[in-house]
């Protein structure tokens, strides 16, 4: 791994939080992600299952975590199954975890090789009454392929039809949203790397440059700071492309007079950062660009203050909508009649600001976390309002990552990243 070692105390705490919510005589199983082939003998870079990482720190393919708090044998209350390493594997691919290394990473004492899984699991199932399956129930999930987890669930149901079934997702939703101090520190590191990338890019940008050249500058800075790269596919959209919310081609020329919307974030130790900044190609905002930019900035500033314990996610978005409506009226993009006659299911402001303002952030960019219950301290959210005006070839979005505090306003993990008009112009023309 490129990242520095993480204390296994984090994963020990996370497992304790999960097992505390399990039913008596129940067993939970978490499978690693698949390694995806691309044709011939090529594969995509491996990315571990976020839930397995959260509970074990095991950043290796073909891993299985089993949690069984009521196992008769104390050794079997936490087990990590791994591919047995060998000299051949070491020569061709590099060494995999030894049992000692796996214990050091995870804090789990009992490590078995995958070849032992069926035998050990059958024995444990004779003691268990309920099995927790790790289904993906994220509110934005769009799984179209059968995963390693899906295949395990299908086989387990066939092999053990008399057991009861539960889902891990609800527990994970509750516990992953509230971050431990170690997690916040890792997200802060990812944000710091993103800051370095942005500061590298600002003096680099000028008319005639290609969007992918900017993407390359970010990647260079991210990699040299122990990041695997982008936490998600980056958006570098200049001119009209900034109005396409999920524009990822990044293949246009940046033209004098246009703005560039950059939605990028470095990952660090599998934790994501998520930043958006919008800058003028030529290093100077026009009066109109400045007016729209500062409107978005004000909405972001006011929305951030609402992220406190007890806030309701749905109501928060309604309040942000009111802030945005006032700004759009001031910019004369809306008039009073537009607001008076608006459809309550699609308010007038949605013409220019059509997406949500905040989402959980962590091991996933759109992280697992409770959204139907009041916000809690140590949840990490993005704040990302935007105004998109296709007829003016202008899309402006600003986004920071913040941590909800016990009292007062949230802590901005991106407070060191330039954001004001003056800061951006100074750094682009310095």
């Amino acid at each position: 791994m490129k990242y520095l070692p993480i204390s296994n105390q984090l994963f020990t705490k996370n497992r304790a939080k999960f097992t505390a919510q399990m039913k008596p005589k129940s067993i939970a199983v978490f499978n690693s992600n698949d390694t995806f082939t691309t044709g011939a003998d090529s594969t995509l870079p491996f990315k571990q299952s976020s839930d397995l990482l959260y509970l074990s720190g095991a950043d290796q393919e073909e891993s299985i975590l089993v949690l069984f708090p009521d196992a008769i044998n104390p050794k079997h209350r936490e087990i990590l199954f791994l591919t047995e390493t060998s000299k051949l594997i070491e020569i061709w691919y590099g060494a995999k975890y030894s049992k000692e290394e796996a214990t050091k990473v995870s804090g789990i004492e009992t490590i078995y090789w995958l070849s032992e899984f069926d035998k050990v699991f059958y024995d444990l199932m004779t003691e268990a009454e309920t099995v927790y399956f790790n289904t993906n129930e994220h509110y934005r999930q769009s799984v179209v392929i059968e995963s390693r987890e899906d295949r395990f669930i299908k086989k387990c149901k066939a092999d053990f039809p008399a057991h009861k079934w539960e889902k891990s997702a609800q527990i994970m939703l509750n516990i992953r949203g509230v971050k431990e101090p170690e997690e916040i520190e890792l997200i802060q590191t990812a944000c710091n790397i993103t800051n370095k990338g942005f500061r590298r890019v600002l003096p680099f940008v000028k008319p005639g440059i290609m969007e992918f050249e900017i993407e390359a500058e970010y990647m260079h800075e991210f990699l040299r700071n122990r990041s695997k790269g982008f936490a998600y596919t980056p958006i570098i959209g200049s001119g009209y492309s900034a109005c396409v919310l999920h524009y990822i081609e990044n293949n246009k020329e940046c033209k004098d007079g246009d703005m560039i919307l950059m939605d990028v974030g470095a990952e660090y130790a599998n934790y994501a950062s998520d930043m958006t900044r919008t800058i003028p190609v030529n290093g100077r905002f026009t009066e109109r660009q400045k007016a729209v930019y500062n409107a978005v900035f004000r909405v972001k500033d006011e929305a951030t203050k609402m992220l406190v314990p007890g806030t309701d996610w749905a109501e928060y978005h309604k309040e942000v909508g009111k802030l945005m409506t006032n700004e759009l009226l001031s910019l004369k993009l809306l008039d009073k009649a537009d607001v008076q006659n608006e459809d309550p299911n699609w308010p007038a402001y949605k013409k220019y600001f059509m997406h949500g303002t905040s989402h959980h952030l962590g091991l996933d960019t759109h992280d697992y976390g409770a959204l139907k219950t009041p916000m809690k301290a140590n949840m990490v959210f993005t704040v990302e309002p935007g105004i998109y005006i296709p007829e003016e070839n202008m899309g402006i979005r600003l986004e920071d990552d913040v941590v909800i505090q016990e009292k007062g306003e949230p802590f901005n993990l991106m407070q060191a990243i330039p954001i004001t008009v003056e800061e951006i112009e100074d750094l682009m023309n310095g």
Side-chain angles (χ1 to χ4, degrees):
M1 316 311 163
K2 292 186 174 76
Y3 57 87
L4 296 170
I6 302 167
S7 167
N8 62 33
Q9 288 301 305
L10 170 61
F11 312 116
T12 300
K13 282 191 285 186
N14 291 344
R15 288 193 299 277
K17 284 188 286 188
F18 184 90
T19 55
Q21 296 191 39
M22 291 173 68
K23 291 185 173 180
K25 290 195 173 180
S26 64
I27 189 168
V29 184
F30 297 86
N31 283 272
S32 61
N33 279 338
D34 281 302
T35 301
F36 295 103
T37 59
T38 59
D41 62 345
S42 299
T43 60
L44 292 172
F46 176 70
K47 187 177 190 316
Q48 185 58 289
S49 155
S50 297
D51 289 332
L52 182 60
L53 263 174
Y54 178 82
L55 295 168
S56 72
D59 200 352
Q60 186 172 292
E61 66 281 3
E62 297 184 328
S63 309
I64 304 176
L65 172 67
V66 174
L67 300 176
F68 188 8
D70 294 334
I72 294 169
N73 183 345
K75 282 179 58 182
H76 287 163
R77 290 172 187 169
E78 296 183 336
I79 310 172
L80 189 59
F81 293 87
L82 301 170
T83 299
E84 184 171 4
T85 193
S86 68
K87 280 293 178 188
L88 188 64
I89 290 173
E90 189 175 334
I91 289 167
W92 282 92
Y93 304 107
K96 303 300 180 185
Y97 291 133
S98 67
K99 290 185 177 183
E100 294 73 23
E101 287 167 337
T103 294
K104 188 175 181 183
V105 164
S106 66
I108 296 170
E109 294 296 331
T110 304
I111 312 293
Y112 288 131
W113 300 130
L114 265 183
S115 56
E116 302 169 86
F117 178 80
D118 287 343
K119 180 177 179 293
V120 174
F121 188 63
Y122 178 85
D123 182 53
L124 297 177
M125 288 292 274
T126 64
E127 302 174 22
E129 294 176 359
T130 303
V131 187
Y132 280 84
F133 290 139
N134 191 32
T135 50
N136 183 348
E137 298 188 22
H138 192 279
Y139 71 108
R140 298 174 73 158
Q141 72 87 15
S142 55
V143 179
V144 294
I145 58 172
E146 188 177 60
S147 68
R148 190 180 185 87
E149 203 76 77
D150 295 329
R151 295 192 300 275
F152 168 77
I153 292 169
K154 189 185 292 184
K155 183 176 186 303
C156 192
K157 284 184 173 181
D159 291 348
F160 303 97
H163 281 70
K164 299 172 192 167
W165 318 115
E166 287 286 343
K167 55 185 184 179
S168 299
Q170 194 58 52
I171 300 177
M172 297 306 288
L173 196 70
N174 289 333
I175 65 175
R176 273 183 56 185
V178 179
K179 303 297 188 284
E180 292 291 335
E182 298 96 323
E183 294 182 281
I184 293 170
E185 191 176 327
L186 292 168
I187 299 169
Q188 180 69 78
T189 300
C191 291
N192 294 347
I193 296 170
T194 302
N195 180 25
K196 290 179 180 180
F198 184 57
R199 289 177 180 275
R200 179 189 181 97
V201 159
L202 283 172
F204 176 79
V205 170
K206 58 184 179 295
I209 209 160
M210 300 299 287
E211 292 165 350
F212 54 75
E213 293 182 83
I214 297 171
E215 182 180 349
E217 291 297 307
Y218 277 110
M219 181 58 101
H220 181 105
E221 198 63 29
F222 290 177
L223 286 175
R224 69 193 292 265
N225 282 281
R226 292 185 177 273
S227 167
K228 281 188 291 194
F230 295 101
Y232 51 92
T233 306
I235 297 168
I236 314 285
S238 60
Y240 180 84
S241 296
C243 298
V244 181
L245 295 182
H246 291 132
Y247 171 79
I248 56 173
E249 286 76 16
N250 303 345
N251 60 4
K252 307 286 191 308
E253 181 184 334
C254 301
K255 295 179 179 174
D256 195 3
D258 280 348
M259 301 278 283
I260 310 169
L261 186 155
M262 300 180 290
D263 189 338
V264 301
E267 74 79 51
Y268 179 77
N270 295 289
Y271 280 83
S273 64
D274 190 355
M275 174 198 80
T276 308
R277 293 291 186 268
T278 310
I279 65 173
V281 173
N282 61 18
R284 297 288 177 194
F285 291 83
T286 66
E287 287 307 309
R288 175 62 171 173
Q289 289 168 348
K290 196 182 295 186
V292 178
Y293 187 97
N294 284 330
V296 175
F297 182 81
R298 284 191 292 271
V299 173
K300 187 188 81 70
D301 204 37
E302 290 304 311
T304 301
K305 294 173 186 174
M306 298 182 206
L307 294 174
V308 296
T311 294
D312 177 87
W313 191 72
E315 288 301 316
Y316 160 75
H317 279 95
K318 288 179 186 174
E319 291 302 312
V320 174
K322 292 175 188 176
L323 293 172
M324 183 58 79
T325 299
N326 289 333
E327 293 292 351
L328 293 173
L329 287 166
S330 297
L331 290 167
K332 300 197 168 16
L333 288 167
L334 295 178
D335 59 34
K336 288 183 180 177
D338 293 324
V339 179
Q340 286 165 356
N341 301 323
E342 70 183 11
D343 176 354
N345 296 316
W346 192 255
Y349 78 85
K350 289 283 191 182
K351 180 179 178 183
Y352 298 101
F353 174 40
M354 61 293 294
H355 59 79
T357 309
S358 294
H359 58 77
H360 282 279
L361 181 77
L363 280 166
D364 292 301
T365 306
H366 297 120
D367 206 32
Y368 252 24
L371 293 174
K372 296 179 181 178
T373 52
M375 294 180 186
K376 297 178 180 177
N378 294 322
M379 286 182 167
V380 180
F381 281 100
T382 63
V383 190
E384 49 181 308
I387 295 175
Y388 310 91
I389 319 171
E391 59 271 24
E392 296 184 33
N393 273 356
M394 188 196 313
I396 295 175
R397 180 165 69 249
L398 297 173
E399 176 183 21
D400 283 335
D401 306 336
V402 304
V403 187
I404 294 181
Q405 303 294 292
E406 290 284 358
K407 293 181 180 177
E409 294 179 20
F411 179 80
N412 187 353
L413 296 166
M414 291 187 161
Q415 60 184 319
I417 303 180
I419 194 167
T420 66
V421 164
E422 294 74 24
E423 285 175 305
I424 288 169
E425 288 187 341
D426 286 350
L427 288 164
M428 290 187 79
N429 297 282

